[in-house]
Amino acid sequence: MRGRNDHIILIGFMGSGKSTIGIALSYKLQCVLSDTDKMIEKKEGRSISEIFAENGEAYFREKETEFLEKLKNEKTRQIFSVGGGTPLREENRRLIRELGTVIYLKVSPQTVYERLRGDMTRPLLQGDDPMERIKTLLGEREEIYREAADIIVEADGKKTAQIVEEIVKALKGENK
Ligand code: S3P
């Protein structure tokens, strides 16, 4: 390891499977899973959609950074699933890299579209043309996700178990 914490951080676009993979990986590695979106919702006592509607995206981004700052105090190894936009801020990328090994779950716009069709909980994907929105945002973020990651897992069309196996194998390679 590179002199930093031993946690695992899952990053990737909305609908890339961070929550699902996070749960399966937490069983496999027998460690706690924490979802920063859920932590923010709990602390704020309202949903992300409400936070965006009432205080705007910038306020939410501030909360993401505040929560990341707190995570460095966690001592036992954990898996952190962070929101799709978390790596956008340079400060957040630094914070997640300090936390441990960063895993990017890479999916295509088509996969995101199919998984999140009809979803009302992602304020950034609401509107007349969600596919166009997904393509634009993913296009803007792809390079950022790549650069933030230690491990990139191609998640399109794969079952959860297979992705978990790939992650476990890659983690072993990282810790050699
Ligand atoms: C966002 C992703 C969401 C949530 C918020 C903004 C983004 O989390 O943090 O709606 O900017 O990509 P998920 O990636 O868990 O959907």
Side-chain angles (χ1 to χ4, degrees):
M1 295 296 289
R2 285 147 288 179
R4 54 184 187 176
N5 281 321
D6 195 21
H7 303 298
I8 294 163
I9 305 91
L10 297 176
I11 65 166
F13 201 71
M14 294 167 263
S16 59
K18 298 181 297 283
S19 304
T20 310
I21 300 300
I23 292 168
L25 196 60
S26 75
Y27 277 110
K28 179 84 184 174
L29 300 177
Q30 293 289 296
C31 55
V32 171
L33 167 70
S34 299
D35 180 322
T36 53
D37 278 348
K38 293 209 177 88
M39 291 162 92
I40 294 171
E41 286 183 323
K42 194 168 171 213
K43 176 84 196 308
E44 291 277 313
R46 52 193 176 144
S47 69
I48 287 174
S49 297
E50 285 167 334
I51 299 172
F52 268 70
E54 289 160 16
N55 296 87
E57 181 176 349
Y59 174 88
F60 175 73
R61 300 294 175 207
E62 284 300 325
K63 295 292 135 191
E64 284 186 306
T65 305
E66 275 174 32
F67 270 84
L68 286 182
E69 285 278 5
K70 286 184 196 148
L71 298 182
K72 63 181 175 217
N73 301 322
E74 299 288 340
K75 294 286 175 259
T76 45
R77 190 187 199 202
Q78 284 192 39
I79 298 166
F80 296 114
S81 168
V82 302
T86 303
L88 299 182
R89 277 191 176 189
E90 196 186 336
E91 189 182 1
N92 294 356
R93 293 200 290 278
R94 181 182 56 77
L95 288 167
I96 57 178
R97 290 190 62 80
E98 280 171 14
L99 281 174
T101 307
V102 182
I103 300 173
Y104 168 31
L105 297 177
K106 186 177 182 313
V107 286
S108 63
Q110 192 59 36
T111 296
V112 175
Y113 180 73
E114 279 161 20
R115 287 186 185 166
L116 297 185
R117 203 164 19 191
D119 175 271
M120 307 286 282
T121 66
R122 274 47 174 223
L124 292 180
L125 298 184
Q126 306 310 308
D128 293 340
D129 194 346
M131 184 56 165
E132 205 40 51
R133 190 85 184 110
I134 292 166
K135 279 187 184 159
T136 305
L137 283 177
L138 198 48
E140 287 167 6
R141 293 178 178 187
E142 175 67 31
E143 200 52 34
I144 292 171
Y145 290 144
R146 281 185 168 282
E147 282 185 10
D150 298 297
I151 295 166
I152 300 172
V153 178
E154 302 276 347
D156 273 335
K158 288 180 189 161
K159 292 209 159 61
T160 301
Q162 187 183 344
I163 296 172
V164 167
E165 283 315 314
E166 283 183 29
I167 292 175
V168 170
K169 207 170 150 197
L171 284 171
K172 280 184 187 147
E174 279 274 307
N175 292 327
K176 248 184 233 160

